[in-house]
Amino acid sequence: MFGWNGYFLCVNLSKKKSAVKAYDAAFAAKFMGGRGFAAKILWDTLTAGTDPLSPENKLIFAAGPLTGFALPNSGKLVVASKSPLTGGYGDGNIGTYAAVHMRKAGYDALVIEGKAENPVILHVKDKTVEFIDAKDYWGLNSFEAEAKLRKIYGRAAGIVSIGQGGENLVKFACVVSQEGRAGGRPGMGAVMGSKNLKAVVFEGSGVIPAAYPEKLKEQGVESFREILGKSNYAFWKRQGTLSTTEWTNQNSVLPTRNYREGVFSEAEKIGGFAAEEIKVANRGCPNCNMTCGNVVKDSEGKPSELDYENVAMLGSNIGLGDLAQVSVLNRMADELGLDAISLGSALGFAMEASEKHLISEKVSWGDFVDAKKLTEDIALRRGIGDVLAEGVRVAAAKIGGDSAGWAMHVKGLEISAYDCRTVPGMALAYGTSPIGAHHKDAFVLGWEVQHDREGYGEEKAAKVIEHQHTRGIFECLGVCRFPLVNIGLDRNWYLKYLHAATGMEFSWDALDLVAERVFNLVRAFWIREYKGNWTKERDVPPARWFTEPLTEGAFKGAKLDRAKYDAMLQDYYVKRGWDERGVPRKQTLERVGLGEVAAQLDRHIKLS
Ligand code: PTT
Ligand code: SF4
């Protein structure tokens, strides 16, 4: 096989045993890699109802057929599991040298099950697998743990680790690498912690097999050059995703004070230009020449790597307008291994709950000291932090009042940083995202703002699906989507890369079908887990957007219309070939090559 190594490394931490599992070209072409592999493995090997934090759950690190080659932005790794935050399928996409080393060690995925008796570090060096005692690492934050490991394994090794958040099973703990790359929003760090696994160190020295290696090399050189020549390249290098802050504020979609508003009076102070003033470096993922990690000096004098989502959720969403202080919270999220989006949502939720006297703790809007303390309390599960560590869905159920209406999540995953009262298509994207409310699979609001801002027409559902497929394929290829979606790299490059890497010809239609297959498989996973509790209400964003209009900005008075949203959701289901409950129809699953999944799912919920 070319492009793919053809092997998964399977590790059982309870038994301290590992085994290599081979797969064939037909499996590779059908599920492609990354999310496709992870979803298929989870579907095949988990029993419905598995406790996400039990030894039976699986933690998967999966690369794609392009990962690790000298091609634009090819250092991405999907980290996936059944999510302890949502109870459904969860994954994230982390840029890390671990991705490259895993592939060079000869594996396309690492599948971890069981639970180590004591804290352990997994060391994979080419064909050897070692289980290393981690007692001197447990309790360290992710930066400290990685630095300590680098003293042994050197600068080049690929390392992923968890901080105290993962150790303490915070439900939105993520996996961290390289002091500023973080992935697995729906609690993949907690799954790692539940397995007593502090870190994985990869060292690979082999060559990833390519069908036409020389051609691939030339394509890499040429496309890296194409990226450098793009007119927006220089500004991207200056601000990366951070310029989004000014844009979202101008367009009334910047989450402000737990999504009460879409504009923030201090937006400029946390925007891309403000960041340039405290910026000290650019950092990024492997094999990338458009490094978007903006490293700034925070108010405590330490480096902190910023992205838009983090700034909005830890800034405007908690009413904090000081970027250097926001950067401290951002650094703490990375050190402690907490997802910064969910953290910002939990902090905003607590501030509102405190204001409404639903909790006795005093946590005030925009108060940096309160926010800092609460962040630590969440990671260490102290006091109200212990409640918030369960995510806002559970926290709302615990604190009561009307808080369920302003616990900003879909399916338990906190919403990333775009208010949707004026962009129904984006609300649908959150409602139907494969992991809960995340923007990565569909970012239709850019299109909506330009074309049809407040409409609920059929083209919205079509656009969401188009995005979910185009972006979904990047979750399987193992490369960053930013060259395509942010810089405008010609999309046909990806077909050329795939041919030179695998020797197989793929069209965009074929990739679209892979994306659709994987999307349906993930949906089937959710439904199998929720069974009788599955309802279309799970695809609906929180009540706040439907009931509380914006009170500031150009869109003052705007809110979502529930009846129109429901109609748009039904349009979406029809276009997807799902029934009115949002369950894939049998013939849809068969059409996308998931006949066996249809047969199994039908035993859990009657398919139409
Ligand atoms: C991603 C989510 C995002 S999406 C952001 S900012 W973004 C937040 N980043 C966090 C962080 O940082 N630290 C932290 N403790 N928590 C964080 N939570 C949030 O996590 C990231 C980039 C970004 S920055 C984006 S959009 C793109 N996402 C891609 C994707 O999903 N797929 C893909 N094929 N390519 C992508 N390229 C871009 O990668 P999750 P990263 Mg991330 C620090 O992990 O779980 O997917 O959540 O991985 O290496 O940091 O790259 O404005
Ligand atoms: Fe990583 Fe940013 Fe480069 Fe993408 S553009 S590979 S997220 S550094």
Side-chain angles (χ1 to χ4, degrees):
M1 222 189 309
F2 296 107
W4 298 275
N5 285 300
Y7 298 101
F8 300 147
L9 175 64
C10 303
V11 170
N12 186 314
L13 290 173
S14 306
K15 297 181 180 159
K16 291 203 174 169
K17 288 249 160 70
S18 66
V20 175
K21 189 171 181 293
Y23 64 91
D24 61 18
F27 177 91
K30 189 166 178 183
F31 295 99
M32 195 58 75
R35 176 185 281 169
F37 284 174
K40 177 70 173 136
I41 295 167
L42 292 173
W43 174 267
D44 285 346
T45 62
L46 288 196
T47 309
T50 298
D51 175 354
L53 298 179
S54 70
E56 287 71 39
N57 195 10
K58 293 201 163 54
L59 178 67
I60 301 172
F61 293 92
L66 301 183
T67 308
F69 287 119
L71 299 170
N73 311 24
S74 69
K76 288 277 187 184
L77 191 60
V78 165
V79 48
S81 194
K82 177 176 171 183
S83 160
L85 184 64
T86 67
Y89 173 84
D91 74 17
N93 202 312
I94 183 169
T96 168
Y97 280 96
V100 180
H101 278 279
M102 185 180 85
R103 292 265 288 160
K104 289 191 171 170
Y107 307 112
D108 301 319
L110 168 65
V111 182
I112 302 167
E113 66 180 351
K115 176 183 181 176
E117 202 175 320
N118 297 304
V120 78
I121 288 162
L122 192 63
H123 178 215
V124 180
K125 183 169 185 183
D126 294 325
K127 297 298 166 248
T128 60
V129 178
E130 264 186 295
F131 299 85
I132 296 161
D133 185 349
K135 75 171 174 310
D136 295 341
Y137 293 81
W138 204 256
L140 297 183
N141 72 39
S142 75
F143 291 14
E144 292 163 342
E146 186 167 326
K148 199 170 157 96
L149 286 166
R150 290 214 176 276
K151 286 201 182 126
I152 303 169
Y153 300 103
R155 278 170 57 84
I159 300 174
V160 289
S161 70
I162 54 168
Q164 296 93 326
E167 292 178 7
N168 293 322
L169 311 182
V170 174
K171 298 284 171 62
F172 50 85
C174 55
V175 175
V176 183
S177 189
Q178 299 167 203
E179 300 191 357
R181 303 275 116 201
R185 288 197 57 212
M188 271 66 272
V191 175
M192 196 158 153
S194 75
K195 298 192 171 306
N196 264 337
L197 179 61
K198 180 68 183 175
V200 184
V201 181
F202 287 101
E203 292 181 278
S205 60
V207 175
I208 310 164
Y212 305 105
E214 285 310 314
K215 208 174 189 184
L216 200 57
K217 214 184 282 170
E218 283 164 26
Q219 289 170 356
V221 170
E222 211 181 313
S223 46
F224 274 125
R225 203 180 298 132
E226 185 176 315
I227 289 172
L228 290 178
K230 292 286 177 187
S231 58
N232 49 352
Y233 178 80
F235 189 64
W236 173 264
K237 283 284 278 193
R238 274 171 57 189
Q239 297 197 1
T241 59
L242 296 179
S243 59
T244 314
T245 314
E246 281 93 346
W247 184 86
T248 47
N249 192 52
Q250 279 154 17
N251 287 290
S252 294
V253 296
L254 176 66
T256 301
R257 295 191 179 81
N258 197 28
Y259 283 89
R260 278 177 172 168
E261 301 298 339
V263 289
F264 182 49
S265 56
E266 298 178 273
E268 264 184 30
K269 291 205 233 161
I270 58 167
F273 292 98
E276 287 198 57
E277 284 174 27
I278 54 171
K279 179 167 170 172
V280 292
N282 270 90
R283 256 193 334 223
C285 313
N287 297 342
C288 173
N289 70 344
M290 45 186 281
T291 47
C292 68
N294 280 285
V295 184
V296 301
K297 193 166 157 188
D298 68 28
S299 66
E300 295 178 353
K302 294 185 181 169
S304 174
E305 188 175 326
L306 298 178
D307 289 305
Y308 161 71
E309 305 290 327
N310 310 12
V311 168
M313 295 308 292
L314 297 168
S316 52
N317 195 55
I318 65 166
L320 181 59
D322 181 321
L323 189 60
Q325 291 181 342
V326 171
S327 305
V328 170
L329 300 177
N330 173 73
R331 170 174 50 78
M332 287 174 71
D334 287 344
E335 287 172 340
L336 297 164
L338 300 176
D339 172 55
I341 295 174
S342 293
L343 174 65
S345 190
L347 295 178
F349 177 84
M351 287 170 180
E352 183 158 354
S354 175
E355 183 187 67
K356 292 179 170 166
H357 307 294
L358 285 171
I359 57 173
S360 54
E361 289 77 2
K362 180 107 185 61
V363 216
S364 305
W365 293 116
D367 190 314
F368 171 61
V369 176
D370 285 355
K372 211 180 141 184
K373 176 172 180 310
L374 192 49
T375 298
E376 269 172 14
D377 288 347
I378 290 171
L380 303 179
R381 284 190 171 271
R382 291 188 301 226
I384 190 69
D386 188 34
V387 176
L388 296 166
E390 295 295 303
V392 298
R393 175 169 66 174
V394 172
K398 287 199 174 149
I399 71 166
D402 62 348
S403 63
W406 38 268
M408 303 305 287
H409 72 91
V410 175
K411 300 184 185 72
L413 181 67
E414 287 74 15
I415 297 175
S416 33
Y418 307 95
D419 187 274
C420 290
R421 286 177 180 86
T422 59
V423 276
M426 193 63 209
L428 181 67
Y430 281 138
T432 59
S433 149
I435 61 165
H438 194 44
H439 61 289
K440 74 169 157 191
D441 285 274
F443 184 78
V444 287
L445 92 133
W447 175 87
E448 282 185 292
V449 164
Q450 281 179 359
H451 295 94
D452 174 19
R453 177 105 202 210
E454 294 180 87
Y456 292 76
E458 275 189 40
E459 67 286 1
K460 291 280 168 99
K463 211 59 186 172
V464 170
I465 293 171
E466 181 192 313
H467 275 228
Q468 287 171 336
H469 288 180
T470 307
R471 287 165 167 244
I473 202 66
F474 281 83
E475 300 318 300
C476 301
L477 294 176
V479 295
C480 176
R481 64 166 187 265
F482 279 169
L484 178 84
V485 302
N486 287 59
I487 284 283
L489 182 69
D490 183 348
R491 73 175 193 156
N492 288 321
W493 275 118
Y494 294 94
L495 304 180
K496 293 182 199 163
Y497 303 152
L498 269 174
H499 178 250
T502 68
M504 297 183 195
E505 297 277 359
F506 288 92
S507 62
W508 270 98
D509 282 347
L511 294 183
D512 199 72
L513 181 61
V514 173
E516 187 179 9
R517 179 178 303 130
V518 173
F519 203 90
N520 275 279
L521 179 58
V522 168
R523 186 74 172 186
F525 185 91
W526 277 92
I527 291 165
R528 186 174 71 175
E529 290 296 336
Y530 277 73
K531 288 184 216 160
N533 289 324
W534 181 263
T535 133
K536 67 180 172 52
E537 292 303 307
R538 300 208 181 275
D539 291 340
V540 180
R544 165 154 282 171
W545 286 344
F546 295 100
T547 56
E548 296 177 35
L550 294 171
T551 66
E552 292 173 17
F555 287 85
K556 193 173 162 178
K559 61 180 165 79
L560 288 177
D561 182 309
R562 181 60 203 263
K564 289 182 182 166
Y565 180 86
D566 284 352
M568 183 173 64
L569 185 60
Q570 289 301 325
D571 280 346
Y572 174 91
Y573 290 165
V574 170
K575 287 187 166 54
R576 277 228 169 267
W578 297 353
D579 66 20
E580 61 288 347
R581 301 167 295 175
V583 177
R585 292 184 189 279
K586 188 160 173 277
Q587 68 187 42
T588 303
L589 292 173
E590 285 168 350
R591 177 178 57 76
V592 300
L594 295 175
E596 77 290 356
V597 170
Q600 290 170 36
L601 189 61
D602 195 52
R603 282 184 233 127
H604 297 270
I605 188 168
K606 201 78 211 126
L607 299 187
S608 38

